[in-house]
């Protein structure tokens, strides 16, 4: 199997207080050599992702732009598809659309949305993925689904990337990992819960479910617990994604992790992105 080259993203989870702050931040992410700017989708932090990424597209030239991850419960997939297609158009084909069931139940509580059982949320996400793919491929979308019923939905505007922008799905448990293996181009392998499977074990679940398409799937990991060359450590609730030590030691950690679990796409929290930049300079594209 061919080893995927490393890619790196800065995950903009810090608060941005003004338009100039957002523009400066996007430029800095690109200048530091990161491949992707990712924004989260929570009520308690950050700007609205799609609007903010559209601004970031106007002040950068090659930086790719994505969501990590848009919470499916917070918007109807017809509106999500239109937002995604609009951003893909305005960024001239730089969107990477990240989607998940929603990682924080507090978002649902704040918005007065029901917190359904995991199986219901996974089924709903599966339907949303069908809608998204059809929106980018067809002039209209009709889906008599269990959770969503669309009738001749006009798929406008047309996105730039075909058949659709790369779709990232955030997944932790076996059922979500298998869904992502069947539907996603990129899988953000989530963890941190007691008793979680190892990264290699989750990779094996993905590989079995993906079959022949496994080689076309990129595996992503979000890491905010980072300390490089003695810089202040950034905290994280995901200890499996911590990288600490000298630049060379962190480079070795990442290379070993790629060898063991096929993780080649690393997202670094905004507070750690400058400290991590020497690692990006060493490994990006390698």
């Amino acid at each position: 199997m061919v080893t995927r080259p490393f890619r790196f993203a800065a995950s903009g989870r810090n608060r941005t207080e003004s338009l100039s702050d957002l523009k400066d931040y996007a430029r800095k992410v690109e200048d530091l050599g990161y491949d992707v700017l990712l924004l989260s989708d929570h009520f308690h932090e950050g700007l609205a992702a799609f609007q903010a990424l559209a601004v970031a597209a106007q002040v950068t030239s090659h930086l790719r732009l994505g969501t990590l991850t848009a919470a499916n419960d917070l918007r109807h997939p017809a509106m999500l598809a239109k937002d995604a297609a609009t951003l893909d158009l305005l960024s001239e084909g730089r969107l990477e659309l990240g989607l998940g069931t929603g990682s924080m139940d507090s978002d649902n509580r704040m918005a007065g949305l029901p917190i359904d059982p995991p199986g219901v949320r996974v089924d709903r996400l599966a339907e949303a993925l069908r809608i998204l793919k059809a929106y980018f491929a067809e002039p209209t979308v009709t889906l008599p689904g269990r959770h969503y019923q669309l009738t001749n939905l006009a798929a406008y505007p047309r996105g730039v990337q075909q058949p659709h922008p790369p779709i990232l799905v955030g997944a932790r448990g076996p059922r979500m990992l298998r869904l992502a293996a069947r539907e996603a181009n990129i899988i953000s392998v989530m963890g941190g819960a007691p008793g979680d499977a190892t990264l290699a074990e989750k990779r094996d679940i993905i590989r079995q479910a993906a079959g022949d398409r496994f080689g076309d799937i990129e595996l992503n990991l979000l890491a905010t617990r980072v300390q490089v060359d003695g810089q202040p450590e950034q905290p994280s609730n995901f200890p499996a994604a911590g990288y600490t030590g000298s630049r060379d030691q962190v480079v070795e950690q990442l290379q070993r992790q790629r060898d063991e679990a096929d993780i080649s796409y690393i997202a670094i929290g905004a507070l750690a992105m400058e400290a991590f930049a020497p690692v990006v300079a060493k490994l990006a594209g390698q």
Side-chain angles (χ1 to χ4, degrees):
M1 180 176 171
V2 177
T3 300
R4 277 187 172 272
F6 281 107
R7 287 203 307 153
F8 295 94
S11 178
R13 294 174 178 265
N14 61 332
R15 292 183 178 272
T16 302
E17 303 295 342
S18 69
L19 177 62
S20 62
D21 284 348
L22 173 60
K23 289 179 176 179
D24 289 345
Y25 175 64
R27 292 188 189 103
K28 178 177 283 189
V29 172
E30 186 169 72
D31 291 345
L32 288 172
Y34 286 86
D35 301 285
V36 190
L37 168 59
L38 296 170
L39 295 183
S40 59
D41 189 34
H42 299 295
F43 286 119
H44 72 283
E45 64 179 7
L47 302 176
F50 289 98
Q51 294 91 325
L53 290 170
V55 170
Q58 305 312 301
V59 297
T60 57
S61 61
H62 59 269
L63 187 68
R64 295 188 65 78
L65 308 155
T67 49
L68 189 67
T69 53
N72 189 53
D73 278 1
L74 300 186
R75 57 183 68 76
H76 193 286
M79 195 69 246
L80 175 64
K82 189 175 184 73
D83 285 343
T86 299
L87 180 53
D88 197 46
L89 177 68
L90 295 179
S91 67
E92 299 181 309
R94 288 189 274 155
L95 172 64
E96 297 185 2
L97 178 60
L99 186 62
T101 59
S103 61
M104 291 187 179
D105 289 347
S106 59
D107 285 319
N108 293 55
R109 294 191 188 98
M110 284 188 281
L113 296 170
I115 302 172
D116 291 317
V120 173
R121 298 172 82 171
V122 174
D123 287 345
R124 196 157 53 221
L125 178 62
E127 283 190 16
L129 287 165
R130 288 173 58 194
I131 291 167
L132 285 165
K133 290 183 176 182
Y135 188 99
F136 278 89
E138 305 293 340
T140 62
V141 181
T142 296
L143 178 74
R146 177 182 177 188
H147 301 284
Y148 306 109
Q149 296 81 42
L150 279 65
T151 304
N152 294 325
L153 173 72
Y156 183 85
R158 307 306 299 165
V160 173
Q161 299 178 87
Q162 294 297 322
H164 51 73
I167 293 175
L168 177 151
V169 171
R172 175 180 285 115
R175 186 174 180 187
M176 274 295 297
L177 290 167
R178 287 192 287 268
L179 173 63
R182 294 191 299 270
E183 301 292 344
N185 306 105
I186 308 165
I187 301 175
S188 185
V189 184
M190 303 167 63
D196 250 1
T198 66
L199 291 176
E201 288 169 341
K202 292 184 179 185
R203 183 271 319 274
D204 290 344
I205 293 171
I206 294 168
R207 181 163 52 191
Q208 182 175 12
D212 292 342
R213 71 183 299 268
F214 179 73
D216 297 325
I217 297 173
E218 186 176 39
L219 300 186
N220 164 271
L221 201 62
L222 171 64
T224 54
R225 189 172 64 84
V226 171
Q227 186 178 37
V228 182
D229 288 333
Q231 296 288 331
E233 183 173 344
Q234 304 301 332
S236 172
N237 60 358
F238 190 2
Y243 305 109
T244 62
S246 68
R247 184 186 72 163
D248 289 343
Q249 287 172 327
V250 172
V251 165
E252 290 176 5
Q253 290 174 44
L254 288 165
Q255 291 172 326
R256 182 168 59 252
Q257 182 177 264
R258 182 174 63 177
D259 290 342
E260 294 173 352
D262 291 308
I263 305 289
S264 61
Y265 177 17
I266 308 297
I268 301 298
L271 295 176
M273 70 176 190
E274 290 190 68
F276 202 80
V279 176
V280 173
K282 178 76 172 179
L283 282 182
Q286 301 300 311

